[in-house]
Amino acid sequence: MDKKYEQKELPCLCIRSFKRAIIHVDMDSFFASCEQQRDVKLRGKPVCIGLERGIATSMSIEAKRAGVTRGMGIHDIKKVCPECIILPSDYETFGLYSLRMFEIVKRYSDDVEEYSVDECFADITGMRRSLNMTYQEIAEAIKHDIDTMIGTTCSVGLAPTKTLAKVASKWKKPSGLTIIPGKLAQYFLKDLPVGKIWGIGEKTTHYLQGKGVKTALDFAYKRLEWVEENLYKPQIETWYELRGEAVKALQTEPVDEYRNISKRKTFTPPSNDPKEVFSRLCKVIENACIKARRFELVSKHFSFSIMTHNFIHDGCEIKIDRPIADPVTFINYIKPEFDRIFNPKHFYRLTQFNMHDLTKDPMQLDIFGNCVREVKQKDLYSVVDEINRRFGKHAVHLGATDFAILDGDHEGNRGNEAWRKLRENWLPGETKRKRVNIPYCGYVK
Amino acid sequence: MRLTLNTNFILPFVGSMHAGKTVGFPNPSEEETSETIDLADLLQVDMYAAKLFRVRGDSMMEAGILNEDILLVESTDKWKFDDIVIAEIDGEETVKYIRKRSDGKLFLQAANPSVHDMYPQEYLKVKAVVKSVIRRYG
């Protein structure tokens, strides 16, 4: 490999091959692959996940080849690929496989960043001696273990920095293993458009292109003075990383706390009835509060929005003086703003509610005695949560939410169909919230 | 919410029992906590490679695998001949013994005399090794 590249002789960006050794693991078509390995009949066929949402959130290789793209609506999927199998998302099972991937990687390194549900970084610097393996062998072993133990393939990149490891894992997909030693980084960057680099957004891409920087290598060859003069810290870090200098640390502490909670719901048909839309808004507020209470989080900065059927968002951001997680209070603050914003000439199809800057529930006293009411509310909601846990979500709900609950959220039976399909994958005794912690793969003869 | 994969479903291990014969139970509360054993260790299964299947039919009857039994399997490529495995054969998944014929050819064998041996037309791939059978009564 070295010889082929060295013939072209591009100047090196970095003199050492592995000052650090970072691995990036990226699962191939993760959700769709999970389903394909659960059911042998799905293997080799175009499969999309996202039936309950009405859009494709993950596509199998076969579906991608047929032209299905992420975010495509079911109607369009049927058009471009009539034989495509569309399945609902079984997040519990995907979550189990995701945790497995992290745990398998953690067998080779303690420094693992769980970057997303289907991606992680691992720092294996200095592990050669303790594992008695070369960096390449460690990367191969991780890939082998994930491929056999999970049953779906992954793409692995090994490089001296996170940014280069990302380039490496994308180099050959699916099921690739690419190694980018610092000394050879230039050959991997010379044809890579600058906008494809991890951490370079759309605006920066336009800006850099305006300055004549087309490829990742053009960017990496720029002088430090130029970079510092023209760009900000995150892009300067990316520049270092492309040159083989690891400056982006791995976030190895799992992010246990939510900083924001966001709940949204799309409904059909769109409505111009203020009562109905407000009821649907109340439901997402209630959902967000249920989640917040589960993690004992409160917020004093929140926002809501409603979207018309032609995708125009309207909403409002509200800050109050005392953090809460109580839907009635939120609704009281939101109602006047909703009435101001709502326009009966428009048909609305989405409601959204966000809680920002969440903090741990401190139970602070305030001089106006609000705390007394709050403790009572908390008692109330712990009872509500318990009832809902036993009898199903929204068994007890606010009167304002009534319409949204009784009506269901979707016209037709897409939601029901998704549920029916999900239930087929349960063992007797499993419920929506109680699943066995080992993936169940159905019947064998 | 983070999903947790609880790999240590620990059962107190209270000595072996003989069916039909009363054996004195040691009082579990007197035992040290180190006297518990991880079920995954007992079954020698790597929980991060474990999967469950359910059985349809009685082709493995004589191996003690009955209709509707739950199989605890381990996805691995380290299987041995004569293991009970989950194998993909010509686009179908099945639970059988994996055997090698004297001429080196691989085939799947049922534990039921009325079921024929299965030879692959196109391909045969072992996906997992069966580690344990779970059966619910009542």
Side-chain angles (χ1 to χ4, degrees):
Chain A
M1 178 174 99
D2 293 18
K3 217 166 207 162
K4 194 177 88 196
Y5 285 119
E6 272 160 22
Q7 282 166 359
K8 295 171 199 161
E9 277 181 27
L10 290 168
C12 282
L13 291 161
C14 172
I15 46 167
R16 287 180 63 180
S17 281
F18 288 105
K19 194 172 172 187
R20 298 199 74 80
I22 313 284
I23 278 180
H24 179 246
V25 179
D26 190 358
M27 302 299 289
D28 303 322
S29 318
F30 184 47
F31 293 171
S33 303
C34 286
E35 290 295 340
Q36 281 183 319
Q37 81 89 36
R38 181 211 310 267
D39 186 350
V40 65
K41 288 185 198 72
L42 299 174
R43 287 175 209 158
K45 292 189 185 147
V47 176
C48 287
I49 307 299
L51 178 66
E52 78 291 355
R53 291 189 184 198
I55 55 165
T57 50
S58 170
M59 303 76 62
S60 71
I61 290 286
E62 299 81 8
K64 280 179 192 166
R65 280 188 193 132
V68 183
T69 54
R70 185 172 290 189
M72 194 181 260
I74 284 184
H75 197 72
D76 295 330
I77 298 173
K78 294 269 182 210
K79 250 188 248 167
V80 298
C81 181
E83 69 280 16
C84 190
I85 301 157
I86 305 162
L87 296 172
S89 320
D90 181 359
Y91 290 112
E92 280 72 22
T93 305
F94 302 157
L96 284 178
Y97 283 123
S98 175
L99 271 170
R100 280 186 179 196
M101 169 189 72
F102 300 143
E103 290 303 324
I104 291 166
V105 178
K106 280 175 191 166
R107 290 177 178 182
Y108 295 90
S109 166
D110 292 331
D111 297 329
V112 175
E113 173 178 341
E114 300 174 7
Y115 182 68
S116 75
V117 68
D118 61 347
E119 279 177 66
C120 70
F121 291 99
D123 189 341
I124 55 166
T125 314
M127 297 303 288
R128 281 182 290 200
R129 187 166 296 174
S130 57
L131 293 171
N132 195 20
M133 293 161 105
T134 65
Y135 286 143
Q136 178 169 350
E137 281 167 351
I138 297 171
E140 283 166 356
I142 288 175
K143 174 161 170 51
H144 169 266
D145 285 3
I146 290 176
D147 290 355
T148 53
M149 288 165 74
I150 296 182
T152 69
T153 61
C154 61
S155 296
V156 175
L158 166 64
T161 69
K162 282 171 84 174
T163 308
L164 287 173
K166 269 271 217 193
V167 174
S169 68
K170 285 225 165 43
W171 193 256
K172 185 171 173 284
K173 259 184 157 293
S175 200
L177 184 130
T178 306
I179 298 162
I180 304 185
K183 276 194 281 197
L184 299 176
Q186 63 274 26
Y187 298 102
F188 290 86
L189 301 181
K190 71 180 174 58
D191 296 322
L192 184 72
V194 73
K196 294 272 180 193
I197 307 170
W198 180 53
I200 300 288
E202 212 172 310
K203 277 184 190 159
T204 314
T205 307
H206 282 299
Y207 178 78
L208 287 170
Q209 281 172 343
K211 295 265 178 190
V213 177
K214 301 275 189 264
T215 68
L217 191 60
D218 294 340
F219 180 44
Y221 275 155
K222 284 286 173 194
R223 296 175 64 84
L224 178 61
E225 296 79 28
W226 185 91
V227 175
E228 282 184 335
E229 201 169 293
N230 287 284
L231 297 164
Y232 296 103
K233 192 172 169 248
Q235 292 93 34
I236 298 170
E237 283 184 358
T238 303
W239 177 82
Y240 275 113
E241 290 247 318
L242 289 174
R243 297 175 63 91
E245 193 75 34
V247 289
K248 291 190 184 178
L250 266 70
Q251 172 78 42
T252 52
E253 286 296 307
V255 189
D256 258 333
E257 279 176 32
Y258 287 94
R259 263 186 298 175
N260 299 302
I261 288 177
S262 180
K263 288 277 174 187
R264 63 196 300 187
K265 197 82 196 175
T266 317
F267 47 90
T268 47
S271 167
N272 68 338
D273 174 5
K275 267 197 186 131
E276 179 185 343
V277 178
F278 190 68
S279 175
R280 295 196 189 278
L281 179 61
C282 289
K283 189 179 172 189
V284 290
I285 294 171
E286 236 186 311
N287 282 341
C289 290
I290 288 170
K291 191 168 178 181
R293 289 200 299 271
R294 199 184 298 154
F295 291 92
E296 293 178 353
L297 295 169
V298 286
S299 163
K300 56 179 179 177
H301 176 192
F302 52 96
S303 61
F304 74 94
S305 68
I306 47 182
M307 188 186 79
T308 65
H309 70 289
N310 42 7
F311 301 96
I312 298 161
H313 280 271
D314 213 339
C316 179
E317 197 175 319
I318 301 170
K319 285 185 184 178
I320 54 174
D321 58 352
R322 197 167 47 87
I324 51 167
D326 153 35
V328 179
T329 317
F330 282 129
I331 289 167
N332 286 341
Y333 282 110
I334 283 170
K335 183 73 170 99
E337 302 302 327
F338 177 85
D339 290 340
R340 187 175 57 79
I341 287 166
F342 189 86
N343 182 348
K345 283 183 196 147
H346 288 153
F347 282 81
Y348 294 89
R349 64 185 295 250
L350 177 142
T351 55
Q352 179 166 355
F353 177 69
N354 311 302
M355 295 166 74
H356 309 282
D357 309 330
L358 289 159
T359 48
K360 275 277 171 205
D361 192 350
M363 280 272 294
Q364 276 169 346
L365 279 167
D366 71 12
I367 53 168
F368 303 109
N370 271 335
C371 194
V372 177
R373 198 176 54 131
E374 203 166 76
V375 172
K376 277 188 184 154
Q377 260 168 6
K378 206 175 274 172
D379 282 344
L380 172 66
Y381 281 110
S382 62
V383 174
V384 169
D385 288 338
E386 176 62 20
I387 292 172
N388 286 345
R389 194 182 64 75
R390 282 197 210 165
F391 298 104
K393 200 173 181 185
H394 297 296
V396 175
H397 57 261
L398 298 175
T401 317
D402 229 17
F403 181 88
I405 307 260
L406 294 178
D407 186 60
D409 285 297
H410 296 280
E411 172 185 57
N413 60 357
R414 199 175 72 212
N416 292 337
E417 192 194 348
W419 267 114
R420 193 174 46 72
K421 284 197 173 170
L422 271 184
R423 273 195 214 103
E424 284 171 9
N425 300 327
W426 293 351
L427 279 166
E430 282 190 301
T431 65
K432 187 186 172 194
R433 289 208 173 263
K434 283 187 184 168
R435 301 285 299 276
V436 177
N437 60 5
I438 304 170
Y440 170 55
C441 306
Y443 279 101
V444 281
K445 278 186 192 162
Chain B
M1 181 176 54
R2 286 172 55 76
L3 285 156
T4 57
L5 182 67
N6 180 10
T7 56
N8 327 304
F9 48 96
I10 293 171
L11 295 178
F13 185 67
V14 290
S16 53
M17 261 193 295
H18 301 286
K21 192 175 156 196
T22 322
V23 183
F25 272 91
N27 181 351
S29 64
E30 289 169 8
E31 308 277 304
E32 305 259 333
T33 44
S34 60
E35 295 280 321
T36 61
I37 185 162
D38 189 324
L39 195 52
D41 285 342
L42 189 73
L43 301 174
Q44 299 189 339
V45 51
D46 183 344
M47 288 303 286
Y48 291 110
K51 282 170 194 163
L52 299 173
F53 283 88
R54 243 188 319 170
V55 180
R56 181 162 279 161
D58 49 13
S59 69
M60 293 301 282
M61 195 172 62
E62 288 176 8
I65 298 174
L66 305 182
N67 192 26
E68 290 293 321
D69 279 356
I70 296 169
L71 300 176
L72 176 65
V73 310
E74 182 181 308
S75 297
T76 176
D77 53 0
K78 293 186 190 75
W79 49 273
K80 301 185 298 295
F81 292 113
D82 307 328
D83 278 346
I84 300 177
V85 298
I86 304 284
E88 191 181 329
I89 178 165
D90 302 330
E92 251 191 80
E93 235 167 19
T94 183
V95 53
K96 295 285 178 298
Y97 284 111
I98 178 98
R99 308 276 198 209
K100 190 159 89 169
R101 218 166 56 178
S102 49
D103 64 357
K105 211 169 179 190
L106 290 184
F107 69 101
L108 298 174
Q109 191 184 47
N112 183 334
S114 64
V115 180
H116 295 294
D117 294 346
M118 297 168 82
Y119 288 90
Q121 299 288 319
E122 288 168 30
Y123 69 99
L124 168 62
K125 198 172 175 217
V126 174
K127 304 296 262 187
V129 175
V130 176
K131 289 283 182 173
S132 179
V133 179
I134 302 162
R135 187 172 307 145
R136 272 174 64 155
Y137 295 102

